[in-house]
Amino acid sequence: MYLFLKVAVWLFVMIWLRATLPRIRYDRLMQLGWKVMFPLGLLNAVITAFVVVWVGG
C-alpha cells in the first residue's frame, strides 16, 4: 500500500510539473549543455584533480 501511495504521488507531481512548465526547445537545451554544463563539468574535474594531488588522496 505504501509503495502504491508513493508511486501515485510521484506520478501526480511529474504530470503536474510537465503540464505547468513550458517545454524547453531543443536548441536551447543543447546550448545549455555545451555552453554551461560542459565547462562546469571540466572545471569540476580540474578542481577535483588539484584537490587529489594536493591533499594526496
Side-chain angles (χ1 to χ4, degrees), residues 18-35:
R18 187 143 165 98
T20 303
L21 298 176
R23 190 172 54 151
I24 189 166
R25 291 186 350 216
Y26 183 72
D27 61 331
R28 297 263 178 131
L29 184 63
M30 291 298 290
Q31 181 179 1
L32 174 71
W34 282 108
K35 293 187 176 179

Side-chain angles (χ1 to χ4, degrees), residues 32-51:
L32 174 71
W34 282 108
K35 293 187 176 179
V36 177
M37 300 306 258
F38 186 69
L40 284 177
L42 285 177
L43 181 65
N44 186 18
V46 169
I47 291 172
T48 303
F50 278 125
V51 168

